[in-house]
Amino acid sequence: MPELPEVEIVKRGLEAAILGKKLVQIDQRRKDLRIPFPENLAARLKDMRVESLQRRGKYIWVHLSSHDILVFHLGMSGRMLILSAHDSLTAGPHDHLILTLEDGGVVVFQDPRRFGMVMLVAEDGIEQHKSFSAMGPEPLGNGFHADMLAAALAGRSMAIKAALLDQRIVAGIGNIYASEALYMAGIDPQRPAGALSIDECESLCRAVKEVLKKAIKAGGSTLKDYRHTDGNLGYFQHSFSVYDREGQPCPDCDCDVKMTGGIKNIKQSGRSTYYCPQRQS
DNA sequence: CTCCTGTCCTGCCGGC
DNA sequence: TGCCGGCAGGACAGGA
């Protein structure tokens, strides 16, 4: 669920709440999520100041004054709850890490399904860390373009949909935006990745960038008042062209859904793919 | 090396 | 109404 756009919005919300502030209290409420929490996490975070935040793929990096980076991955159900000094908190069963800041603000990392991850990595070793050393380029950066994509896909027999989900090819795309981008580019998700022409790589790159930018924009508009709603960062309402719209007409189709069946839902390596057979070939 | 499948976990939804 | 099975998804291990 949280893919690049959602993670970007969470990072921005977190930034507004914690940038420049000192962590004064750390409450780690269980020993692991998907992986164990770092050794001595609380002691290593205590009294450290947040120097900057960045997003890498679906990960959030919180740079600390200790020159460590506190790394979050939201998994599939992770959220960040932001509370101000006057809010009261009764920790629930899914509140796994609670950070209190010097101004009384509180950040709660919640994750019902516990697929999320929290890591602490030395700043000068982060690029070599196994989660990041093989990670592909940021799709919204200059490093992601048609020539790069064509080279990464060359000789690959896997479906292009699966290739978009491979974080070593490009970072941050998940199941929803893979379907959306392929729809926008007019490419059949089942096509072997290596069979895409350079023109198709070009339109796919453009579609990936556009789909992600639009989603961030949609999330940004809900973010500005996040404190006035429920303080939850993690998900936002967004309408999709094909995802979760099986049987419905796609936005660009004027064909008869009774004849064509509309948007199709197929399984590719165990995951749902949605696409329009009329417009994607 | 490449590709695919199974696993982790809980909430939710459809079917009976 | 209530229960239960199946599904959802990100990363990664392990097998073919």
Side-chain angles (χ1 to χ4, degrees):
Chain A
M1 292 281 194
E3 302 183 25
L4 186 152
E6 292 79 13
V7 176
E8 176 66 25
I9 295 305
V10 171
K11 178 244 163 192
R12 291 181 191 179
L14 210 47
E15 200 161 47
I18 71 173
L19 183 61
K21 290 170 190 158
K22 194 192 275 186
L23 302 170
V24 296
Q25 195 184 323
I26 294 89
D27 183 8
Q28 179 193 321
R29 304 181 57 81
R30 55 178 296 127
K31 66 175 191 333
D32 57 15
L33 294 173
R34 187 177 195 284
I35 59 172
F37 278 97
E39 292 283 324
N40 304 318
L41 178 66
R44 292 166 69 188
L45 296 183
K46 180 143 171 61
D47 297 327
M48 297 309 156
R49 196 169 289 281
V50 175
E51 309 243 292
S52 61
L53 287 89
Q54 74 186 101
R55 182 194 50 73
R56 179 77 176 100
K58 298 172 198 168
Y59 292 80
I60 296 168
W61 291 2
V62 180
H63 293 256
L64 302 171
S65 50
S66 55
H67 300 288
D68 281 334
I69 300 176
L70 176 60
V71 177
F72 290 104
H73 192 291
L74 301 175
M76 289 188 283
S77 59
R79 290 169 175 269
M80 292 287 181
L81 177 66
I82 310 282
L83 300 170
S84 61
H86 344 285
D87 298 322
S88 63
L89 169 72
T90 310
H94 305 311
D95 297 343
H96 305 309
L97 184 66
I98 304 174
L99 306 175
T100 306
L101 300 145
E102 58 186 334
D103 65 351
V106 176
V107 174
V108 184
F109 181 56
Q110 310 174 313
D111 186 6
R113 289 159 82 171
R114 307 207 301 273
F115 274 35
M117 289 185 252
V118 176
M119 305 185 287
L120 196 57
V121 183
E123 214 160 40
D124 59 14
I126 190 91
E127 297 291 349
Q128 286 71 249
H129 188 278
K130 81 184 194 69
S131 293
F132 305 108
S133 60
M135 188 175 271
E138 284 295 320
L140 297 177
N142 296 333
F144 182 63
H145 49 75
D147 291 340
M148 170 271 147
L149 184 61
L153 300 181
R156 309 296 291 268
S157 62
M158 73 200 307
I160 184 60
K161 157 75 180 332
L164 286 179
L165 293 179
D166 187 337
Q167 304 297 298
R168 293 167 298 189
I169 292 174
V170 57
I173 300 173
N175 206 43
I176 294 173
Y177 296 105
S179 281
E180 292 294 304
L182 286 163
Y183 169 73
M184 188 182 283
I187 295 169
D188 186 329
Q190 300 164 107
R191 292 266 305 284
L196 266 62
S197 69
I198 188 69
D199 286 352
E200 288 172 319
C201 289
E202 174 68 40
S203 60
L204 185 52
C205 282
R206 267 210 304 272
V208 163
K209 288 172 191 281
E210 197 174 329
V211 154
L212 297 177
K213 278 186 197 164
K214 270 175 67 181
I216 291 171
K217 209 170 168 188
S221 63
T222 68
L223 177 67
K224 63 181 187 297
D225 58 1
Y226 70 96
R227 271 177 189 281
H228 304 292
T229 56
D230 62 353
N232 250 311
L233 300 171
Y235 309 116
F236 46 89
Q237 293 302 315
H238 186 56
S239 61
F240 303 117
S241 295
V242 289
Y243 186 81
D244 207 19
R245 299 194 60 225
E246 183 179 11
Q248 299 177 49
C250 82
D252 299 322
C253 262
D254 51 9
C255 58
D256 184 358
V257 174
K258 284 197 199 72
M259 297 287 291
T260 63
I263 293 162
K264 269 184 88 175
N265 174 12
I266 59 171
K267 292 281 176 207
Q268 291 186 282
S269 39
R271 300 211 160 80
S272 284
T273 300
Y274 295 86
Y275 75 110
C276 173
Q278 276 66 49
R279 304 194 68 85
Q280 294 174 258
S281 54

